[in-house]
Amino acid sequence: MNQDEKYLRKAIELALEGIEKRVGGPFGAVVVKDGKIIGQSSNTIFRDHDPTAHAEVQAIRDACKNEQVHALDGCILYSSCEPCPMCYGAVHYAKIEKVIYASKHATADKISGFGVDKIYNQLSQPVEKRSPNHIQLLAEEGKTVFHEWENKPYDASELKKSINDK
Amino acid sequence: MNQDEKYLRKAIELALEGIEKRVGGPFGAVVVKDGKIIGQSSNTIFRDHDPTAHAEVQAIRDACKNEQVHALDGCILYSSCEPCPMCYGAVHYAKIEKVIYASKHATADKISGFGVDKIYNQLSQPVEKRSPNHIQLLAEEGKTVFHEWENKPYDASELKKSINDK
């Protein structure tokens, strides 16, 4: 069996397990590095009382926790469904190399009504027009944070916690 | 002092604390319900080895954990910076009522180079053109998950874990 299909079937299995165990929505994901699964999860929003516990986010968190890193360069994310914008953000920040998925989000929406299009629509609006309302206050005080950050640079060794630095 | 400014200053303080304690990037957030802080966090990606541990995501996770819910209807999120697309997803799924922020992400990018525009650019592309590559396989097998989900509906009492149901 094709390796990609093997890992993607594992993600689909995790989605089915999540339904069976009632831990969250019907989604599963695994993170693979050099042919080895280093992180995996079902969607666990109900079990964990965590609206951000999508399968992709949880699989990335699991891999990072297992490897004690915050960047997964060179890793492949297999997901039972196309990542939503929140999960795409997680993929971006984790420096995932490639995403392989089974269902399009339009399919998920059509069958089960998850409404991911609403998020895309909102993100295509300028922040001033977004729902829920986004209001800016204290703009000048806010900037001080970035100046403080610039003045206290991290030791480079703290920042290079990629899986490839180990 | 204006209440909104009070909570937003708390978010800015958390951002400064996070820099001081070296737990992550220069961002802080609090979740407020009926005038009470129910969740808060700095960005903790370095401390927690978690690339998804942005301040907004962590404050939402903290509030949901404290309240043992997965939806924060009627809550306000105060953030030292405009939420990125990943954090906007968290805001959407948590059903946050309003977001009040200090810095625009363009300001963060200009001073400290966080590059959130790259995420917006990618999300405006169709998934087939997105970076990193997103590849679809096993489309038919993927659909079985949603049919299984439809066949095993959750008890409504399990799904209504909003802060307003308590």
Side-chain angles (χ1 to χ4, degrees):
Chain A
M1 182 167 56
N2 173 307
Q3 290 294 297
D4 285 332
E5 292 187 353
K6 181 178 87 171
Y7 296 122
L8 190 53
R9 286 200 173 102
K10 176 67 183 168
I12 292 171
E13 267 173 41
L14 286 163
L16 292 168
E17 269 180 45
I19 299 170
E20 193 60 36
K21 294 182 181 167
R22 329 295 277 171
V23 292
F27 304 95
V30 300
V31 174
V32 173
K33 169 80 173 173
D34 299 331
K36 191 184 153 210
I37 293 177
I38 60 166
Q40 63 178 57
S41 189
S42 311
N43 174 306
T44 59
I45 61 169
F46 303 142
R47 184 192 71 195
D48 295 343
H49 299 298
D50 181 354
T52 74
H54 284 198
E56 299 95 319
V57 166
Q58 294 299 81
I60 286 170
R61 294 173 83 196
D62 187 47
C64 288
K65 190 179 167 197
N66 290 336
E67 302 292 330
Q68 292 287 291
V69 298
H70 58 260
L72 298 168
D73 319 57
C75 294
I76 305 178
L77 177 73
Y78 295 84
S79 177
S80 63
C81 190
E82 179 190 335
C84 77
M86 178 178 76
C87 294
Y88 175 77
V91 162
H92 171 89
Y93 293 120
K95 303 184 197 295
I96 291 284
E97 187 177 284
K98 187 161 59 172
V99 176
I100 298 183
Y101 66 95
S103 293
K104 297 255 184 210
H105 77 73
T107 304
D109 286 355
K110 198 172 162 189
I111 303 178
S112 302
F114 290 100
V116 168
D117 269 343
K118 289 181 198 159
I119 303 180
Y120 279 103
N121 290 342
Q122 290 301 323
L123 289 172
S124 72
Q125 307 284 332
V127 68
E128 295 76 13
K129 296 195 173 176
R130 205 165 287 171
S131 174
N133 279 341
H134 283 54
I135 298 161
Q136 186 180 28
L137 296 175
L138 304 179
E140 285 308 309
E141 288 181 44
K143 279 184 195 168
T144 60
V145 172
F146 301 114
H147 294 304
E148 188 68 14
W149 171 257
E150 295 293 297
N151 289 336
K152 293 206 172 177
Y154 274 63
D155 183 312
S157 66
E158 285 182 275
L159 286 168
K160 287 188 180 163
K161 292 286 171 55
S162 154
I163 196 164
N164 288 333
D165 297 324
K166 292 177 73 185
Chain B
M1 181 166 56
N2 174 305
Q3 289 295 297
D4 285 332
E5 291 186 353
K6 182 178 88 171
Y7 297 122
L8 189 53
R9 286 201 172 101
K10 176 66 184 171
I12 292 172
E13 267 173 39
L14 286 164
L16 293 168
E17 270 180 43
I19 297 170
E20 194 59 37
K21 294 183 181 166
R22 329 295 275 170
V23 292
F27 305 94
V30 300
V31 174
V32 173
K33 168 80 174 172
D34 299 332
K36 192 185 153 210
I37 293 178
I38 59 166
Q40 63 178 56
S41 189
S42 310
N43 173 306
T44 59
I45 61 171
F46 302 143
R47 183 193 71 194
D48 295 343
H49 299 297
D50 181 355
T52 74
H54 283 200
E56 299 95 319
V57 166
Q58 292 298 80
I60 287 170
R61 285 177 180 153
D62 187 46
C64 287
K65 191 180 166 195
N66 290 337
E67 303 291 329
Q68 292 286 292
V69 297
H70 58 261
L72 298 168
D73 319 56
C75 294
I76 305 178
L77 177 73
Y78 295 84
S79 177
S80 65
C81 190
E82 179 191 334
C84 77
M86 179 178 75
C87 294
Y88 175 77
V91 163
H92 170 89
Y93 293 121
K95 303 184 197 294
I96 291 285
E97 185 176 285
K98 187 159 61 172
V99 176
I100 298 183
Y101 65 94
S103 295
K104 297 253 183 211
H105 77 73
T107 305
D109 286 356
K110 199 172 162 189
I111 304 178
S112 302
F114 290 101
V116 168
D117 269 345
K118 288 181 200 162
I119 303 180
Y120 279 102
N121 290 341
Q122 290 301 323
L123 289 173
S124 72
Q125 307 283 333
V127 67
E128 295 75 14
K129 295 193 172 175
R130 205 164 288 172
S131 173
N133 280 340
H134 284 53
I135 297 160
Q136 185 179 29
L137 297 174
L138 305 178
E140 286 307 310
E141 287 181 44
K143 279 185 196 169
T144 59
V145 173
F146 301 114
H147 294 303
E148 189 68 13
W149 170 256
E150 295 292 297
N151 288 336
K152 292 206 174 177
Y154 273 63
D155 183 312
S157 66
E158 286 182 274
L159 285 168
K160 288 188 182 163
K161 293 286 171 57
S162 154
I163 196 164
N164 289 332
D165 298 324
K166 291 179 72 184

